[in-house]
């Protein structure tokens, strides 16, 4: 009797589990999740989800231990230093790209430890060799694996994202994505067995957050706002018409996409790379003139003079140090880098000034802000505000460059550079579900976003999955092994 009663209680608990819609913003470096909760039930209608480390953002990483154990998100951060050849980051920038393209060549230049081959299908997209075995692992499967593993690592309070509570998701698409790339992103989610409700461009999400947040002027006022976003790998700008109105106790916001300029492949990671290269040059100069800190066979002879670029672990440490130094320079006039036994038993000690950093990144910054110039030049209406969005804009010189180039325009920082896109996209999902949000919303996407939202793959999904049947089977095996290792109920696959 007690067993039956327990089963009934379990069934009621499962039935009572609310259906949650996570909105995923997957960038070059980090992922953010806002959960839309249509049922309410005493919980916010939409709220930022926290990962297992109680952080608001999660590293976009997928790595494999030698025994085949998969690590994703923040669990893979240490692996990127220990075994960079088996840990992939920045993979979202490769989606839809083919071997030999500029994007793939840039990736390989920064990550020479990877061997990239064309997937043996009719599409010719990127695959990685040597991550698990010598068999190539398709990028689409890698992204599906990441999605499937991390989506259940988030929670809002005591509401957990599980296979039972998540029936569909929404995606934030990078502003530079074409309709075809967005279609591939949806396909990755489909392979991961996640149903995609909608796709929202990241700059549209930022504009919606700007509008519903009431950052523009008094009710009834109209604004033409350029949203300029600088992420990890790209900088983009989009023009929006925004109007807010108030009738009695109700508030309404209207957001219309007016046009987009071309994106450029320059972002925060470009600045990191410039600083990393500078640190490598400093180390090389030190290497040729200094003796090892501790004499040993490994620190003498030819090994001492091997270029640091041949040492993947050392370059990964330099990359992390460059990012930290860049962040320090956003608030301080100088940053110190100290890395013990970086390469060939030699230490690196260097202090970088803000002036040096700005000189190293001057050319990249000029290229990064070009989309704003193009947008303002082509606009047929007066642009009153250029609103800044994205983590790359923490570099103070970028805003200063914009002010110098466009003196008649207000440069705004009214929205959260990290979270505005995912919150705006979540607000749009809530509005479409007719949830009782504080400000009602009317949003009109532009032609590009319409194409992204309603894109049709050049070839049906079925044959594509059939091409990947071995990799999809591998995805199931890896997922089963991961859940079993964590003591989770395997459920059905």
């Amino acid at each position: 009797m007690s067993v039956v009663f327990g089963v009934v209680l379990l069934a009621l608990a499962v039935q009572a589990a609310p259906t949650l819609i996570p909105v995923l913003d997957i960038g070059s470096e980090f992922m953010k999740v806002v959960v839309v909760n249509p049922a309410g039930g005493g919980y916010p209608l939409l709220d930022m989800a926290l990962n297992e480390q109680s952080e608001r953002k999660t590293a976009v990483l997928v790595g494999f231990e030698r025994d085949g154990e998969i690590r994703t998100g923040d669990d893979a951060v240490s692996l990127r230093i220990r075994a960079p050849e088996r840990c992939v980051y920045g993979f979202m920038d490769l989606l839809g790209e083919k071997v030999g393209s500029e994007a793939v060549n840039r990736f390989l230049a920064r990550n020479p430890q990877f061997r990239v081959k064309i997937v043996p299908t009719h599409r010719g997209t990127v695959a990685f060799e040597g991550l698990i075995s010598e068999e190539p692992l398709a990028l689409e499967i890698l992204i599906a694996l990441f999605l499937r593993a991390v989506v259940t690592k988030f929670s809002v309070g005591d509401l957990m994202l599980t296979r039972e509570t998540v029936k569909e998701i929404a995606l934030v698409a990078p502003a530079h994505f074409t309709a075809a790339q967005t279609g591939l992103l949806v396909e990755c989610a489909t392979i991961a067995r996640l149903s995609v409700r909608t796709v929202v461009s990241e700059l549209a999400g930022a504009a919606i957050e700007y509008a519903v947040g009431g950052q523009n002027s008094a009710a009834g006022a109209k604004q033409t706002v350029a949203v300029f976003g600088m992420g990890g790998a790209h900088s983009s700008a989009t023009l929006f018409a925004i109007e807010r109105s108030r009738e009695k106790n109700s508030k309404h916001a209207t957001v219309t996409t007016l046009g987009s300029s071309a994106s450029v492949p320059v972002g925060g990671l470009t600045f990191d790379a410039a600083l990393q290269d500078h640190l490598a040059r400093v180390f090389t100069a030190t290497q040729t003139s200094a003796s090892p800190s501790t004499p040993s066979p490994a620190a003498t002879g030819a090994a001492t003079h091997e270029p640091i670029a041949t040492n993947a672990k050392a370059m990964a440490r330099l990359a992390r140090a460059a990012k930290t130094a860049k962040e320090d320079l956003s608030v301080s006039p100088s940053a110190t880098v100290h890395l013990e036994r970086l390469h060939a038993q030699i230490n690196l000690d260097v202090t970088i000034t803000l002036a040096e950093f700005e000189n190293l990144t001057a050319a990249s910054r000029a290229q990064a802000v070009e989309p704003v110039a193009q947008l303002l030049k082509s606009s047929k209406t007066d642009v009153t505000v250029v609103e800044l969005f994205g983590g790359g804009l923490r570099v103070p010189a970028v805003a200063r460059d914009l002010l110098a180039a466009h003196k008649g325009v207000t440069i705004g920082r009214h929205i959260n550079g990290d979270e505005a896109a995912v919150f705006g996209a979540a607000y749009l999902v809530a509005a479409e579900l007719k949830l009782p949000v504080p400000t009602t919303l009317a949003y009109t996407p532009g032609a590009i976003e319409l194409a992204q939202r309603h894109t049709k793959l050049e070839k049906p999904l079925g044959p594509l999955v059939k091409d990947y049947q071995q990799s999809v089977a591998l995805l199931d095996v890896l997922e089963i092994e991961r859940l079993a290792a964590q003591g989770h109920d395997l459920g059905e696959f």
Side-chain angles (χ1 to χ4, degrees), residues 35-103:
V35 173
V36 178
N37 175 23
Y43 295 93
L45 293 178
L46 55 94
D47 199 4
M48 174 64 70
L50 303 182
N51 63 15
E52 293 174 322
Q53 289 75 34
S54 297
E55 300 287 344
R56 296 170 74 91
K57 61 182 181 181
T58 297
V60 179
L61 294 170
V62 177
F64 299 89
E65 299 285 3
R66 288 191 180 277
D67 60 2
E69 181 184 357
I70 180 176
R71 295 193 179 276
T72 58
D74 291 351
D75 292 340
V77 171
S78 63
L79 187 63
R80 181 180 172 186
I81 302 298
R82 291 188 287 109
E85 73 281 359
R86 287 184 277 110
C87 188
V88 189
Y89 68 99
F91 47 77
M92 288 295 292
D93 302 318
L94 301 179
L95 189 60
E97 301 289 347
K98 295 186 178 182
V99 172
S101 68
E102 291 185 11

Side-chain angles (χ1 to χ4, degrees), residues 158-383:
D158 58 358
L159 286 179
M160 307 296 295
L161 299 186
T162 67
R163 298 270 173 81
E164 289 74 31
T165 60
V166 176
K167 303 302 181 185
E168 57 182 358
I169 65 172
L171 293 169
V172 177
H176 67 277
F177 263 24
T178 63
Q181 287 173 303
T182 304
L184 286 175
L185 180 58
V186 173
E187 180 188 325
C188 292
T190 303
I191 294 174
R193 295 166 175 79
L194 295 169
S195 176
V196 178
R197 176 185 179 86
T198 189
V199 180
V200 183
S201 171
E202 63 177 340
L203 294 188
I208 291 170
E209 176 69 5
Y210 175 86
V212 301
Q215 299 296 346
N216 52 331
S217 53
K222 296 180 181 180
Q223 283 187 309
T224 301
V225 179
V227 179
F228 172 57
M230 178 184 285
H234 286 80
S235 297
S236 309
T238 303
L239 204 61
F240 297 93
I242 294 176
E243 183 177 3
R244 287 178 60 86
S245 61
R246 180 188 293 275
E247 296 180 3
K248 295 182 180 180
N249 295 324
S250 65
K251 294 185 293 184
H252 182 75
T254 301
V255 180
T256 304
T257 305
L258 299 180
S260 300
S261 71
S263 298
V264 292
V266 178
L269 290 175
T270 311
F271 301 153
D272 293 355
L275 198 48
Q276 181 188 15
D277 289 343
H278 172 71
L279 294 175
R281 289 192 296 268
V282 172
F283 179 84
T284 299
T286 303
Q287 183 182 15
T288 57
S289 60
S291 58
S293 58
T294 303
S296 68
T300 58
T304 304
H305 302 288
E306 289 180 356
I308 188 173
T310 63
N311 186 334
K313 291 183 180 180
M315 293 302 291
R317 292 179 67 192
L318 274 185
R320 185 166 67 175
K323 175 174 289 294
T324 300
K326 181 191 72 174
E327 292 170 353
D328 291 343
L329 290 168
S330 68
V331 295
S332 303
S334 64
T336 299
V337 175
H338 173 72
L339 297 172
E340 291 189 1
R341 300 174 185 247
L342 176 62
H343 174 61
Q345 304 294 317
I346 299 175
N347 300 342
L348 173 65
D349 286 286
V350 60
T351 297
I352 304 149
T353 66
L354 180 59
E356 287 177 313
F357 174 69
E358 291 183 352
N359 183 58
L360 289 169
T361 59
S364 297
R365 294 199 318 271
Q367 186 182 1
V369 299
E370 184 59 28
V372 176
Q374 294 180 25
L375 199 66
L376 296 181
K377 184 178 181 180
S378 62
S379 175
K380 297 179 181 180
T381 58
D382 292 332
V383 179

